Amino acid sequence: MPELPEVETVRDGVARHALNRTIARAAVLSDRTSRRYLGGRLALGDALHDRRFDAAVRRGKYLWLTLDGRADDADTALLVHLGMSGQLLVRDQVADPARHLRARLEFADGGALDFVDQRTFGYLTLEPLVPTPDGAPGGLGSDVAGVPAPVAHIARDLLDPALDRAAVSRRIRTKRTAIKRALLDQTVVSGVGNIYADEALWRARVHPERACDELPARAVNRVLACAAEVMAEALAQGGTSFDELYVNVNGASGYFTRFLHSYGREGQPCSRCGSLIVRERFMNRSSYFCPRCQRRPRSS
DNA sequence: CCATAATCCTGTACGC
DNA sequence: TGCGTACAGGATTATG
C-alpha cells in the first residue's frame, strides 16, 4: 500500500527514467482511471501526445509530472495517485500488457511508462498548477512554487523542508479526535497511511486512541518525530511491500516489511517488551499496537 | 466548521 | 470443490 516512502521511491524512479522523453502515443484504457479528468480517457491520452515531462514532484502520497513548456499550458501536470494498488512501471521496450494495465505512455525512443492498478483506487488526470500560499516549492522534486489544484488542500509532508512541524504539532493538539485519526488526516500532515501511523505510534509509545487535546506537547512532538524517522528509514529500504501490490518502477519490492514492529504482527511478541501485539478495529480498518508499551487512555 | 460514516474496487483467504 | 463472506484501505463525498 503506497504511502510516502513508496510514492517517493516511485517518484525517484520516474525522475531517473522517464523525464525529457517524447511521448509518441498515450492511451488510457480504463474510464475509472481517468474519472477525475472531465475530458474523458481519450482526451487525456491525446493531451499527452508529443509532450515530455520535465519534473517528477511529490507531496504526501500525490505525485505529479510537469509538462514541458508550451505556451498554452506550460503550468500543467499529469497528476498521479496510486491509491491502494497503483504502480508506475518503466519499460525498456513495449511489453505485453500486464493483467491490470490501465494506461500506457509510449516514448518515441521505444520505451514506455505503464500504469497498472488492480483495485482501481488510483487515477491519472491533467491539472493546472496553482501557487502555494507560502511561495515555497510545492513538493519534493521541483523548485516551482505550485501544486496541482486538487493538491492545494493537502498539507506538506514530514520530509518536506518547508514543513512547519511545530505548527502541525500545535494544530494536532487542538483536535477533538484520536491521535491516529489526526495522523491519517492528509490536511493536517500528509504522507502517513495505516502502516506508518501504527509504526510511528509504536515507536513513540502512544496508544492510537489517545485524544489529541489530552496529549502533552512532548508526546505529540515525539509522534511526529517518530513518523518522520520511520518513513525516512523505510525510504532507505525502498519502501514496504506488505502484500506485493507495491513495487518500484522496475517492478522490485521494498525491503522495509522485515523492520515492521507493530503493523501486521498480531499475536507476535513486541520487540521491546515481549507482550503480544494486539489488533483492533479502527476507522473501518485495523490498528496494531503493543498493549503494554502503548497504554490505553482511561476514557474511550 | 468539525468529526465521522459511507463509498468506490478486486483479489485473496477463510469457514462451512 | 465451491460458494459466500470478510478483509485490505486512500481520499472524496455525504451526513450528523
Side-chain angles (χ1 to χ4, degrees):
Chain A
M1 289 138 275
E3 303 179 30
L4 186 153
E6 293 75 37
V7 180
E8 174 57 20
T9 302
V10 171
R11 186 204 66 79
D12 181 69
V14 170
R16 289 170 186 274
H17 302 296
L19 299 186
N20 305 308
R21 296 170 72 178
T22 300
I23 299 165
R25 277 172 300 278
V28 180
L29 308 170
S30 158
D31 286 322
R32 193 165 154 73
T33 294
S34 60
R35 67 192 179 280
R36 303 264 164 209
Y37 186 68
L38 294 183
R41 65 178 181 84
L42 295 176
L44 180 54
D46 287 346
L48 295 171
H49 172 70
D50 211 26
R51 306 303 300 273
R52 302 192 298 180
F53 301 123
D54 56 10
V57 197
R58 182 193 55 76
R59 174 184 289 203
K61 303 170 195 172
Y62 289 81
L63 170 65
W64 61 94
L65 312 179
T66 56
L67 290 177
D68 65 345
R70 181 185 279 185
D72 56 337
D73 64 354
D75 295 324
T76 300
L78 178 68
L79 178 61
V80 182
H81 199 292
L82 301 177
M84 295 284 302
S85 54
Q87 306 174 344
L88 282 176
L89 301 168
V90 175
R91 311 291 198 191
D92 290 335
Q93 296 144 7
V94 173
D96 288 341
R99 178 137 153 72
H100 298 292
L101 182 70
R102 308 298 183 187
R104 167 168 282 173
L105 280 54
E106 293 180 31
F107 296 116
D109 58 29
L113 182 65
D114 281 355
F115 180 68
V116 176
D117 189 15
Q118 178 201 106
R119 296 182 193 168
T120 71
F121 279 26
Y123 59 83
L124 306 179
T125 184
L126 275 177
E127 291 290 338
L129 298 185
V130 299
T132 55
D134 55 9
L140 203 154
S142 164
D143 293 332
V144 174
V147 296
V151 182
H153 70 290
I154 299 297
R156 291 188 181 277
D157 63 63
L158 286 162
L159 300 188
D160 186 335
L163 175 75
D164 184 345
R165 196 188 288 183
V168 173
S169 179
R170 287 193 299 274
R171 168 138 184 242
I172 287 177
R173 298 219 305 136
T174 68
K175 295 189 80 69
R176 301 178 58 80
T177 190
I179 182 66
K180 183 171 174 183
R181 232 176 234 284
L183 277 180
L184 293 175
D185 184 342
Q186 306 296 303
T187 68
V188 173
V189 64
S190 68
V192 181
N194 206 39
I195 294 176
Y196 296 112
D198 279 0
E199 291 299 312
L201 291 166
W202 179 88
R203 282 194 189 208
R205 306 182 194 222
V206 172
H207 192 285
E209 295 276 13
R210 287 292 297 274
C212 291
D213 57 0
E214 292 174 6
L215 277 171
R218 261 204 318 280
V220 175
N221 293 339
R222 196 169 70 238
V223 169
L224 292 176
C226 288
E229 194 178 271
V230 70
M231 289 195 293
E233 291 175 18
L235 175 56
Q237 297 295 328
T240 303
S241 295
F242 193 76
D243 57 7
E244 310 304 322
L245 284 178
Y246 160 71
V247 293
N248 69 14
V249 297
N250 300 310
S253 296
Y255 290 102
F256 195 67
T257 314
R258 68 180 82 163
F259 300 108
L260 297 177
H261 291 283
S262 56
Y263 184 83
R265 302 201 57 216
E266 181 183 21
Q268 298 177 51
C270 169
S271 58
R272 235 176 358 223
C273 78
S275 299
L276 300 188
I277 298 291
V278 299
R279 170 185 174 185
E280 272 184 14
R281 300 299 302 169
F282 180 84
M283 289 175 75
N284 252 345
R285 56 204 67 185
S286 292
S287 275
Y288 299 88
F289 60 93
C290 171
R292 188 190 292 178
C293 297
Q294 298 166 266
R295 288 309 170 98
R296 176 178 297 278
R298 286 188 197 86
S299 55
S300 85

